[in-house]
Amino acid sequence: MTNIAFIGLGIMGNPMAVHLANAGHTVAGLDRTPERAEALIAAGGRAATSIGDAVKGVDVICVMVPDSPDVQDVLEGENGVFQNAETGALIIDFSSIRPDVTQQLAEQARALGFRLLDAPVSGGEAGAKNAALSIMVGGSGDDFAEAKPLFDVVGKTVVHVGPSGSGQTVKAANQLIVAANIQAVSEAVVFLEAYGVDTKAALEVLGGGLAGSTVLNQKKENMLSRSFEPGFRIDLHHKDMGIVTAAAREAGVVVPLGALVAQLVASARANGDGGLDHSALLRGVERLSGKAVS
């Protein structure tokens, strides 16, 4: 069994840390909101009081925080991981951040005697709770092999996609596809409702054909019931679409559909929907259609 520090016990990190504890690993969890450690404590883990406390004597340090500056603060900030962890520790960053930032952090980690894998995940809150996440991993093949048993505890599809930064690049592509898919499903729902179709039945048959997708399966109930409790917030998808468009520009490729969807996500956020689940892009379709926003 492995001694693990898990930094970031939010919607995704909390169930992931609990799964690791339930699998028999020793897990110390840390979050800015201490109450979030309650489920981990119930599973046999403990609540750490600081990064130094969390990483003391551990073999693996998992990070799941919202954005690039947050990861930088956790790792290289004052009293951060780089200052407190044991030399040789393996750092697994489950966060979704900029690929270039990941590459810089990996180089810094190596220079300090640490190892870093970028391992962003897809699957949302449901995937985290069900240990069914898709995990795209960048970094050393040897480090990936060492971490694979831990990935298998929290994920269902785990793939090493290349050197440092590759995991974040694949996650950016994932977020492009997911946002475009949610937007398309949202437009379809509003379109169907405008014609008085039995929308639930329509989505059932659409889900069984070529239009079917994981997004349709997971988000249709949100849209039908207009229940947008966050599984993955629009605020975070807005951040991810910024990563996509910036990385595409740097690579010299065009993402015209991605750029449009990025603007629609930004519009949803500007209209106060940032804290809602990303399926609430449907509300933007309603706004543009001149309909009452549900």
Side-chain angles (χ1 to χ4, degrees):
M1 295 298 103
T2 305
N3 291 325
I4 301 170
F6 206 109
I7 301 171
L9 301 175
I11 288 175
M12 303 292 289
N14 204 329
M16 293 170 72
V18 168
H19 288 313
L20 290 167
N22 285 335
H25 300 290
T26 301
V27 183
L30 179 67
D31 195 272
R32 291 175 179 172
T33 305
E35 294 78 15
R36 290 178 176 172
E38 290 175 0
L40 175 61
I41 294 169
R46 74 175 182 92
T49 57
S50 66
I51 290 178
D53 177 36
V55 305
K56 184 178 181 180
V58 304
D59 309 300
V60 176
I61 300 155
C62 300
V63 181
M64 176 58 104
V65 293
D67 203 352
S68 301
D70 302 299
V71 176
Q72 290 172 306
D73 185 53
V74 166
L75 295 186
E76 63 185 6
E78 186 176 357
N79 298 317
V81 170
F82 288 162
Q83 287 189 11
N84 288 279
E86 303 285 340
T87 302
L90 175 62
I91 302 166
I92 302 174
D93 182 21
F94 288 114
S95 316
S96 296
I97 68 173
R98 287 166 37 195
D100 61 322
V101 171
T102 285
Q103 291 169 337
Q104 292 166 9
L105 289 171
E107 291 175 5
Q108 189 174 353
R110 281 193 295 272
L112 294 170
F114 302 112
R115 299 166 293 147
L116 189 146
L117 293 172
D118 51 299
V121 305
S122 179
E125 182 180 15
K129 286 184 173 180
N130 296 324
L133 294 168
S134 178
I135 309 176
M136 46 226 80
V137 187
S140 157
D142 289 341
D143 292 339
F144 171 76
E146 180 180 330
K148 182 66 162 51
L150 301 181
F151 291 140
D152 288 339
V153 171
V154 298
K156 184 178 180 180
T157 303
V158 181
V159 181
H160 181 226
V161 294
S164 294
S166 300
Q168 299 296 352
T169 302
V170 175
K171 179 60 186 290
N174 179 87
Q175 296 304 82
L176 167 60
I177 294 168
V178 170
N181 205 336
I182 290 176
Q183 180 65 27
V185 174
S186 297
E187 293 179 14
V189 167
V190 174
F191 170 73
L192 291 165
E193 290 176 343
Y195 277 91
V197 172
D198 182 336
T199 311
K200 184 173 183 179
L203 293 181
E204 181 180 351
V205 70
L206 290 172
L210 192 58
S213 68
T214 301
V215 164
L216 177 56
N217 291 339
Q218 287 193 8
K219 301 300 181 181
K220 63 183 179 183
E221 292 302 326
N222 297 47
M223 295 181 184
L224 289 170
S225 65
R226 300 315 202 256
S227 175
F228 301 118
E229 287 297 313
F232 188 80
R233 291 180 284 120
I234 281 175
D235 277 338
L236 291 175
H237 217 134
H238 172 70
K239 176 262 297 183
D240 289 343
M241 294 309 293
I243 292 173
V244 170
T245 52
R249 182 176 61 250
E250 294 213 0
V253 299
V254 298
V255 285
L257 179 58
L260 174 58
V261 176
Q263 291 299 306
L264 294 169
V265 173
S267 174
R269 187 168 180 265
N271 278 283
D273 291 346
L276 301 179
D277 186 76
H278 49 181
S279 55
L281 285 178
L282 180 140
R283 288 163 54 90
V285 181
E286 292 175 327
R287 289 188 190 97
L288 291 170
S289 300
K291 298 184 179 296
V293 176
S294 48

